[in-house]
């Protein structure tokens, strides 16, 4: 049986919200998504649902060919998982996909990160909170703090990540 992997896509899209978050984090990448395949055909996160409306967000199946990602910088990591973890991850993603209209972006949660106070809202996540939740729920990793305080930088520091690409998103598709 061949090794299974998930792919963690960290991006800097240079949107107003990303720039604002970057002022606080000073990090190169302030958005994280989880992909199931190395060609980034199935990419999931919490973010904007419409290109020109940053205030309407929620669970999204991201399309890396969209304008939002055309000039975005990124780094991509592979992370090894076993078959049981893969199945649990797919079950959890199916749950979100089947209820995608029920979920919202946890903008208040970003302030919780700044204050180091977890803000848990029903059916609302921000990108790294969502990816952390998926990783925990599938039994892939655990964190020393709640998902409501996990940043993309926390995920980027996971031991065992395999760096596979750094550059423009448009060069990966």
């Amino acid at each position: 049986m061949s090794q299974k992997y998930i792919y963690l896509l960290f991006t800097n899209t240079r949107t107003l919200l990303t720039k604002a978050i970057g002022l606080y984090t000073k990090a190169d990448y302030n958005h994280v998504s989880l992909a199931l395949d190395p060609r980034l055909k199935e990419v999931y996160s919490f973010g904007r649902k419409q290109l020109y409306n940053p205030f309407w967000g929620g669970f999204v199946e991201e399309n890396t060919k969209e304008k939002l990602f055309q000039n975005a910088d990124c780094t991509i990591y592979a992370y090894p998982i076993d078959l049981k973890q893969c199945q649990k991850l797919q079950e959890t993603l199916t749950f979100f996909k089947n209820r995608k209209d029920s979920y919202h972006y946890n903008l208040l949660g970003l302030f919780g990160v700044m204050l180091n106070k977890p803000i848990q809202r029903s059916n609302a996540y921000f990108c790294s909170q969502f990816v952390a939740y998926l990783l925990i729920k599938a039994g892939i990793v655990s964190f020393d703090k709640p998902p409501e305080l996990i940043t993309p930088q926390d995920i980027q520091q996971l031991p065992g990540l395999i760096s596979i690409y750094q550059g423009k998103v448009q060069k990966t598709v």
Side-chain angles (χ1 to χ4, degrees), residues 10 25 27-31 128 151-158:
F10 296 85
T25 67
D28 292 332
Y29 307 102
N30 288 296
H31 182 71
S128 52
T151 66
Q153 296 74 40
D154 294 325
I155 296 169
Q156 201 170 4
Q157 299 303 314
L158 288 173

Side-chain angles (χ1 to χ4, degrees), residues 1-17:
M1 179 167 62
S2 65
Q3 177 68 58
K4 301 241 179 249
Y5 293 92
I6 55 171
Y7 301 88
L8 297 167
L9 170 65
F10 296 85
T11 55
N12 180 351
T13 57
R14 295 184 190 86
T15 63
L16 189 57
L17 182 58

Side-chain angles (χ1 to χ4, degrees), residues 12-22 48 51 54 68-69:
N12 180 351
T13 57
R14 295 184 190 86
T15 63
L16 189 57
L17 182 58
T18 300
K19 288 177 183 177
I21 293 170
R48 62 179 67 207
L51 178 61
L68 179 66
F69 290 102

Side-chain angles (χ1 to χ4, degrees), residues 45-62 66 68 96-97 99-105 123:
S45 193
F46 266 67
R48 62 179 67 207
K49 289 189 175 192
Q50 291 182 340
L51 178 61
Y52 298 107
N53 186 349
F55 300 106
W56 184 38
F59 175 76
V60 289
E61 295 181 50
E62 294 176 331
E66 285 182 338
L68 179 66
F96 275 88
K97 285 189 235 180
R99 295 160 184 80
K100 65 182 173 188
D101 293 332
S102 302
Y103 291 98
H104 308 283
Y105 190 80
N123 293 345

Side-chain angles (χ1 to χ4, degrees), residues 8 128-137 140-147 149-159:
L8 297 167
S128 52
Q129 177 187 7
F130 171 69
V131 171
Y133 174 82
L134 290 176
L135 296 174
I136 294 165
K137 183 86 169 159
I140 297 169
V141 298
S142 60
F143 294 93
D144 60 356
K145 55 187 172 182
L149 294 178
I150 299 294
T151 66
Q153 296 74 40
D154 294 325
I155 296 169
Q156 201 170 4
Q157 299 303 314
L158 288 173

Side-chain angles (χ1 to χ4, degrees), residues 5-8 76-80 158-165:
Y5 293 92
I6 55 171
Y7 301 88
L8 297 167
I76 303 170
Y77 295 93
Y79 194 84
L158 288 173
L161 289 179
I162 302 162
S163 178
I164 59 173
Y165 176 78

